[in-house]
């Protein structure tokens, strides 16, 4: 009898251990994903809507933030696990100040509008036309870095040749332009619809300053990525599949953005299919490196870092490799591999 109870006790303890392990595994697959409303979130919206995260074994909770800095502060403090649409300059700025961030993928490249009132639009055609202008720009946003880097390359001094009004977010930039406080504003994809609705003119795009520049990167805590890489690989597999859907079924992407961002038909179509916005899950290490050098050239950041410590391309490579294994004849994944080899 004693031996029977002993065996039952061992079985019970083992069962409790397995249950605890199962609970821990379930816990690891839950991710709080932060985003800012704008063009940089559609792949995650698609993955959520089409149950791609669920398919890959990841439970995602979406958390919206008003600005990139708010979202990155939340990531830094552990309130969220991933940021998807907080730019490139923002994460790099946090990294330069000691944040344990890891860039593991991408969402948006290019696509940030340069805006002005219609009566001033004809005065802004080239980078040289910014000389003598009052420019509103959102501090630590990617478009701000791209524009300042272009000024530098054109031989203009941002401190002397341009009057810069630094604001917290692109929405404040739009208001400054509308109120006539700035001749021109360096915007972001998040204000594109409001700019068009309010009659503000789009006079250029960030792509003009830095073609195909990286913007919304997928950012996570470096320690979390090291401790549980498979969860982040699974997240990227879902995002890659969402990119395939957007490429092959753009109307579905329009519908998803319409529902997730509460847009009307016309705005959803313009926003989702805007040709200056490119949505790729690729981390684009080369583009991120160039962005870092631009930030240093305009004294945006000080010191130096080894970017290889903060840009993890292995997770994306593994995610893509697995999808190619599942779909050996799929042209989309072959093209994604070519892009990866070119950009990383």
């Amino acid at each position: 009898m004693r031996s029977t109870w002993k065996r039952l006790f061992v079985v019970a303890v083992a069962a409790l251990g397995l249950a605890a392990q199962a609970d821990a595994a379930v816990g690891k697959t839950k991710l709080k994903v932060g985003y800012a409303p704008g063009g940089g979130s559609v792949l995650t919206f698609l993955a959520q809507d089409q149950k791609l995260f669920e398919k890959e074994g990841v439970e995602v909770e979406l958390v919206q933030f008003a600005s990139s800095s708010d979202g990155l502060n939340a990531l830094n403090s552990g309130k969220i696990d991933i940021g998807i649409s907080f730019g490139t300059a923002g994460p790099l700025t946090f990294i330069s100040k000691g944040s344990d961030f890891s860039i593991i993928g991408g969402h948006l490249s290019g696509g940030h509008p340069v805006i002005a009132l219609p009566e001033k639009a004809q005065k802004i055609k080239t980078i040289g036309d910014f000389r003598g202008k009052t420019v509103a720009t959102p501090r630590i946003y990617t478009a701000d870095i791209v524009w300042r880097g272009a000024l530098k390359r054109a031989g203009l001094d941002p401190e002397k040749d341009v009057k810069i009004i630094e604001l917290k977010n692109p929405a404040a930039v739009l208001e400054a332009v509308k109120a006539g406080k700035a001749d021109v504003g360096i915007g972001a994809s998040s204000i594109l619809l409001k700019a068009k609705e309010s009659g503000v003119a789009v006079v250029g795009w960030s792509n003009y300053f830095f073609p195909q520049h990286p913007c919304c990167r997928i950012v996570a805590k470096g320690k979390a990525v090291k401790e549980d890489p498979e969860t982040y690989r699974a997240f990227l597999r879902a995002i890659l599949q969402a990119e395939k859907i957007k490429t092959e079924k753009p109307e579905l992407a329009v519908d998803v953005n319409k529902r997730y961002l509460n847009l009307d038909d016309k705005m959803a179509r313009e926003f989702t299919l805007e040709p200056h916005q490119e949505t790729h899950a690729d981390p684009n290490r080369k583009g991120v490196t160039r962005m870092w050098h631009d930030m240093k050239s305009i004294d945006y950041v000080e010191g130096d870092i080894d970017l290889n410590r903060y840009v993890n391309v292995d997770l994306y490579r593994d995610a893509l490799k697995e999808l190619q294994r599942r779909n050996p004849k799929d042209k989309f994944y072959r093209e994604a591999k070519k892009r990866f080899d070119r950009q990383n």
Side-chain angles (χ1 to χ4, degrees), residues 205-216:
W205 296 87
S206 56
N207 314 50
Y208 297 171
F209 307 137
F210 179 167
Q212 296 181 318
H213 69 81
C215 182
C216 299

Side-chain angles (χ1 to χ4, degrees), residues 33 35-36 38-53 60 62 84-85 105-109 216-218 235-250 252-254 256-257 260-261 272 277-283 316 332 339:
V33 179
Y35 73 98
S41 305
V42 67
L43 297 184
T44 292
F45 293 163
L46 269 168
Q48 186 82 321
D49 188 76
Q50 298 298 299
K51 301 186 184 307
L52 299 176
F53 292 127
V60 164
L62 296 177
I84 59 169
S85 50
H107 252 59
L108 178 70
S109 297
C216 299
R217 300 295 89 188
I218 300 175
F235 182 87
L236 291 173
R237 289 196 298 270
I239 295 297
L240 261 165
Q241 291 171 78
E243 183 185 335
K244 175 177 164 65
I245 289 175
K246 183 177 184 294
T247 301
E248 298 175 352
K249 300 178 181 179
L252 176 57
V254 170
V256 167
N257 253 349
Y260 277 69
L261 295 175
T272 309
Q277 295 182 355
E278 298 184 21
T279 46
H280 299 300
D282 192 290
Y316 179 87
F332 172 83
R339 182 182 302 109

Side-chain angles (χ1 to χ4, degrees), residues 84-122:
I84 59 169
S85 50
F86 302 142
T88 302
L92 288 177
T93 299
F94 272 69
I95 287 170
S96 74
K97 295 180 179 179
S99 294
D100 176 33
F101 286 174
S102 182
I103 294 172
I104 63 173
H107 252 59
L108 178 70
S109 297
H112 300 300
V114 179
I115 58 175
L117 291 174
E119 58 268 27
K120 298 181 180 181
Q122 294 303 313

